[in-house]
């Protein structure tokens, strides 16, 4: 039970004092119990007015104890009670006085203690300052000693040591400063931490005696001395040579071995050189044939195929590992990987072909090879025929009985000239594109009655590109109105300055019809040939070019060949393009069988394995095996090359093709012709047909009769087959009929081209032309049940037609285009409303119309177009 005297309830003295106590029982039960305590009633004497406090009361008590001096009217009992109260009061007073005295004593003690503490602090402060000063002095002494020692040890360190000593006296000065100020130094000089240390360690509360304080100071001084010594030693070393070890030891305290340092250096060096940890790359000589698959290329470079594909992608070529790329692209890749390219020319097998150069003594003059070029109908064929002195110009079709592609004429002076029988620049260019530069001289035919025409200009460009000298034959001079001067001046515009105009290009006025000037032409050619000094060695293996090739039903594949060098003999083994063979027979331009054909002598060669292409070169080799090997190799590489061209499509090309495929309509056709030259001329002519929207695509072309294979291809591609001077064989004819494949036969190229042009025109989308027929202004907008929003308009221009197209313009911006749902005039549905009249219009599936909008009325018409 505890008394709760802190909460004394108000009331009379002796009133029970109450509080609450919590009683605890087992099982955690508790109970609060109210506790009351009774206190003895203390009677406080009533102080008289004017009596100040207790002393007065005491005085009163003594006075009351004397009955004589007792005031009247006070009973004994009362007196006793009062005296008792007085006693109690006195006892209390004495108690209070004793407590006060005790308090006073305690205060006095506290004051004394504080005084002592202050004194101790002051003393300690003094001691600390003293200690700091002593320490600074000690340090200086030690430094001086160390300096002296170092100076004695090494002469070369002298300067450094002196530097140190010179620097050091500054420090004690800093340490002295706090002494002067009476404050601890803030300077982090060696003295300052020591002072701080002393402060931290000094006992604060107790009264420290002087002796222990001195002891402590001594100990600290010793410690500082040790530190200072160690530092001086350190500095002494540092002032000397600073080794890598010292530097590193200073950093982390851990020393590295020399080997570790070397390793680190080597690592850094390699990193700097960009090798990383990879082994050094091997650079190789990469043998590069004309086409190579990506994986083979990667293999030869010892690179990963994926890396090669990636590098090709960077160049914009999307190829897979198994696709072939051409040598030029492969070269770029090889260089990118840092390897060296070794181009393998036409593979080793080709070395079987004789490559030796002829000695000057072995060379003999050879006839020039002449190509006649010029605009259509300027008389090329007529001229060739006139020169040949054979009248075969009955018509281009069927008139040529002996067609071997070239013929020779002999001039009056006995000079031989070889003319290519394929007029026009198409054949000339296609031959040149195959690398066969057969032509030595170009005769440019210009009709005097027509002057320079587009194909004349093209012919000039081709001749110039091939760097072949030109002779201008101004034809049709027999014609009335022929103007040779006009031809000459026209040619000036194309940088052809003829001799008549003081230039260096020979010009001859001729007439194919009358034969006028032909001799002069031949003479001019002979002169030009002399200037060219055309020479060849007839006594070696022949090498020539195919002018034309065809597949003859009875005789098999036939090639017309012109040799630039050597002589071809019957029985010679040769390779021609991707074909090979053994000369079974040689036929000259007269249709005669010959055993030999020398340089510039055109002959038909029989005995080929297949039909070569115009422009292929023919080379005689020693054995059949060699011939076969070379032909096989060429066939394979040509196939690879074709694959490479197909595969190696750049991104731009792919995208362009994708776009073109969407927009361009194609007319596919298959072409079969009697001779290679015609086939190629047709293909070239057809490729020019078309424009951005329509084009002719020749799926396949070849020489010989139309076969079942052609018909199958045509059926699959849904395209017609063009036969130029050839017909379909019986079986192909039947299957074409069954499959509904169209076969078209032609004998004249221009007819063929015109027909195809007409067919391609059919593919052209009709042009849509738009014409404005009127304008109307919206005045009001009504809502009509069953129709919707109806615009009340005034036709301001032209007419409004129900069937026409309409555009809604708001502030001159087209916001809708469509058709009309209704066109009303006074509630009647009308077809047309003319300018100045009012009408009601409603749009088909469009409601957002407002007053002030303008309606544009237009009509569209389709215009069928044709190819130019
Ligand atoms: P090509 O298309 O250049 O081969 O020209 P052609 O040789 O087919 O001749 C076209 C036309 O011009 C034919 O009708 C010839 O008869 C005619 N022709 C060619 N040369 C002459 C000529 O010298 N004088 C005249 N008057 N007509 C000629």
């Amino acid at each position: 039970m505890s008394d709760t005297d802190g909460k004394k309830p108000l009331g009379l003295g002796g009133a029970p004092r109450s509080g609450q106590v919590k009683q605890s029982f087992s099982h955690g039960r508790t109970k609060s119990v109210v506790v009351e305590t009774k206190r003895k009633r203390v009677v406080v004497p009533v102080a008289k007015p004017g009596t100040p406090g207790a002393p007065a009361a005491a005085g009163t008590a003594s006075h009351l104890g004397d009955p004589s001096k007792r005031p009247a009217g006070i009973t004994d009992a009362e007196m006793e009670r009062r005296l008792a109260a007085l006693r109690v009061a006195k006892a209390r007073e004495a108690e209070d006085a004793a407590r006060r005295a005790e308090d006073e004593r305690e205060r006095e003690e506290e004051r004394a203690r504080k005084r002592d503490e202050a004194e101790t602090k002051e003393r300690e402060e003094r001691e600390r300052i003293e200690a700091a000063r002593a320490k600074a002095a000690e340090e200086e002494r030690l430094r001086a000693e160390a300096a002296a020692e170092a100076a004695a040890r090494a002469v070369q360190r002298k300067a450094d040591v002196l530097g140190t000593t010179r620097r050091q006296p500054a420090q004690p000065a800093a340490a002295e400063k706090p002494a002067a100020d009476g404050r601890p130094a803030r300077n982090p000089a060696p003295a300052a931490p020591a002072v701080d240390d002393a402060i931290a360690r000094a006992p604060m509360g107790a009264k420290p005696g002087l002796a222990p304080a001195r002891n402590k100071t001594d100990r600290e001084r010793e410690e500082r001395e040790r530190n200072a010594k160690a530092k001086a030693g350190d500095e002494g070393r540092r002032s000397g040579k600073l080794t890598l070890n010292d530097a590193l030891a200073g950093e982390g305290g851990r020393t590295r071995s020399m080997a570790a340092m070397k390793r680190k250096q080597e690592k850094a060096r390699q990193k700097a050189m960009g090798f990383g940890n990879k082994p050094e790359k091997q650079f190789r000589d990469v043998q590069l044939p004309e086409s190579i698959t990506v994986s083979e290329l990667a293999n030869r470079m010892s690179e990963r195929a994926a890396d090669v594909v990636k590098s090709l992608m960077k160049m914009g070529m999307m190829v897979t590992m198994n696709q072939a790329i051409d040598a030029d692209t492969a070269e770029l890749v090889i260089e990118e990987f840092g390897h060296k390219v070794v181009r393998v020319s036409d593979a080793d097998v080709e070395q079987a072909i004789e490559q030796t150069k002829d000695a000057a003594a072995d060379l003999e003059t050879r006839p020039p090879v002449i190509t006649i070029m010029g605009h259509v109908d300027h008389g090329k064929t007529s001229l060739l025929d006139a020169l040949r002195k054979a009248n075969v110009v009955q018509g281009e079709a069927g008139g040529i009985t002996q067609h071997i592609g070239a013929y020779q004429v002999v001039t009056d002076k006995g000079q031989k000239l070889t003319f290519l029988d394929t007029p026009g620049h198409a054949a000339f260019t296609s031959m040149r594109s195959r690398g066969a530069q057969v032509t030595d001289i170009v005769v440019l035919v210009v009709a005097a009655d027509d002057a320079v025409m587009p194909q004349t200009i093209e012919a000039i460009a081709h001749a110039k590109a091939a760097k072949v000298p030109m002779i201008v034959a101004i034809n049709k001079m027999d014609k009335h109105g022929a103007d040779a001067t006009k031809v000459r001046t026209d040619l000036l515009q194309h940088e052809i300055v003829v001799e008549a105009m003081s230039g260096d290009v020979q010009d001859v006025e001729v007439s194919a019809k009358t034969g006028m000037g032909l001799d002069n032409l031949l003479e001019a050619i002979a002169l030009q040939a002399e200037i060219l000094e055309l020479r060849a060695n007839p006594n070696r293996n022949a090498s020539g070019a195919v002018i034309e090739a065809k597949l003859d039903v009875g005789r098999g594949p036939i090639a017309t060949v012109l040799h630039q060098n050597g002589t071809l003999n019957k029985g010679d083994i040769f390779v021609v393009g991707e074909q090979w063979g053994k000369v079974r027979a040689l036929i000259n331009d007269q249709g005669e069988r010959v055993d030999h054909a020398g340089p510039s002598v055109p002959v038909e060669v029989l005995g080929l394995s297949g039909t070569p292409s115009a422009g292929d070169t023919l080379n005689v080799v020693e054995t059949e095996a060699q011939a076969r090997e070379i032909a096989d190799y060429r066939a394979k590489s040509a196939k690879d090359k074709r694959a490479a061209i197909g595969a190696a499509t750049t991104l731009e090309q792919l995208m362009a093709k994708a776009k073109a495929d969407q927009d361009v309509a194609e007319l596919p056709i298959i072409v079969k012709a009697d001779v290679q030259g015609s086939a190629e001329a047709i293909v070239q002519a057809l490729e020019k047909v078309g424009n951005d929207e329509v084009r002719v695509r020749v799926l396949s072309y070849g020489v010989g009769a139309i076969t079942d294979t052609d018909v199958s291809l045509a059926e699959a591609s849904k395209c017609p087959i063009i036969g130029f001077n050839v017909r379909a064989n019986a079986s192909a004819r039947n299957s074409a009929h069954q499959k509904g494949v169209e076969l078209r036969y032609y004998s004249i190229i221009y007819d063929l081209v015109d027909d195809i042009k007409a067919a391609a025109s059919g593919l052209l989308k009709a042009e849509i032309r738009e014409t404005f027929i009127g304008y109307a202004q919206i005045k009001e907008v009504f809502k009509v049940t069953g129709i919707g929003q109806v615009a009340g308009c005034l036709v301001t221009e032209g007419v409004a037609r129900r069937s026409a197209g309409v555009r809604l313009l708001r502030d001159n911006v087209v916001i809708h285009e469509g058709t009309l749902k209704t066109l009303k005039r006074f509630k009647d549905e009308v077809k047309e409303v003319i300018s100045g009249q009012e009408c009601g219009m409603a749009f088909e599936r469009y409601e957002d119309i407002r007053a002030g909008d303008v309606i544009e009325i237009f009509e569209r018409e389709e215009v069928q177009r044709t190819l130019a």
Side-chain angles (χ1 to χ4, degrees), residues 257-288:
S257 71
M258 274 318 277
M261 289 305 301
K262 272 188 183 162
R263 278 198 298 275
K264 197 179 169 189
Q265 277 177 353
E266 182 62 17
K267 215 172 167 185
R269 195 177 64 81
Q270 285 201 346
K271 205 175 172 190
M273 286 175 78
F275 287 134
N277 286 330
K278 278 187 216 158
E280 209 160 293
K281 190 173 171 167
Q282 296 277 320
F283 295 102
R284 294 159 200 282
D285 286 352
V286 181
Q287 300 256 323
L288 180 59

Side-chain angles (χ1 to χ4, degrees), residues 372 379-393 407 409 419 421 475 510-519 521-522:
I372 293 184
K380 297 183 292 291
T381 318
S382 307
L383 196 60
L384 273 167
D385 289 341
L387 289 168
R388 205 185 190 180
K389 294 190 181 78
N391 188 19
V392 286
V393 73
Y407 63 85
V409 294
F419 284 89
D421 204 3
N475 193 29
V510 295
S511 167
K513 200 174 179 182
T514 62
M516 174 202 121
L518 291 184
D519 292 347
L521 180 59
L522 292 176

Side-chain angles (χ1 to χ4, degrees), residues 90-232:
K90 270 188 176 167
R92 268 186 155 187
E93 210 169 286
E95 226 175 78
D96 281 355
R99 202 167 48 239
R100 267 199 302 276
E102 179 67 19
D103 282 356
E104 185 59 30
R105 204 181 66 245
E106 275 179 11
R107 269 200 296 278
E108 188 57 35
E109 274 176 13
E110 180 70 30
R111 268 199 296 277
R113 200 169 59 238
K114 277 186 179 160
R115 210 168 34 245
D116 280 357
E117 273 175 18
E119 272 172 22
T120 319
K121 265 188 189 168
E122 208 174 307
R123 196 169 53 247
E124 278 173 359
E125 187 82 353
R126 264 202 311 277
E127 277 169 11
R128 271 194 296 275
I129 291 160
E130 201 111 311
R133 204 179 289 163
K135 185 177 161 258
E138 180 66 26
E139 272 174 358
E140 190 176 347
R141 193 179 57 79
L142 285 166
R143 266 182 224 118
E145 271 173 23
E149 213 177 309
R153 264 205 311 267
V155 177
Q156 76 268 31
R157 294 185 197 163
K158 202 173 183 177
D160 289 340
V161 173
L162 280 173
T164 319
T165 20
R166 233 181 284 127
R167 199 165 62 240
Q168 276 164 354
Q171 286 173 350
E176 264 163 4
K177 218 174 175 185
D181 293 348
R183 276 187 281 114
R186 250 181 260 138
N187 198 323
V195 174
D196 287 343
D197 209 30
I199 295 166
R201 284 168 193 225
M204 294 298 282
K207 278 186 185 171
L210 260 172
R214 203 180 293 131
N215 283 346
K216 192 166 242 181
T217 321
D218 284 347
R219 270 205 310 280
E220 282 170 4
R221 198 167 49 220
E222 274 165 28
E223 209 173 288
R224 280 197 297 273
E225 270 173 24
R226 271 201 305 278
N227 286 344
K229 256 187 194 165
K231 273 195 176 169

Side-chain angles (χ1 to χ4, degrees), residues 375-382 475-476 478-479 511-513:
H375 194 70
V376 65
D377 281 351
H378 277 201
K380 297 183 292 291
T381 318
S382 307
N475 193 29
K476 305 196 186 181
D478 61 295
K479 266 197 158 181
S511 167
K513 200 174 179 182

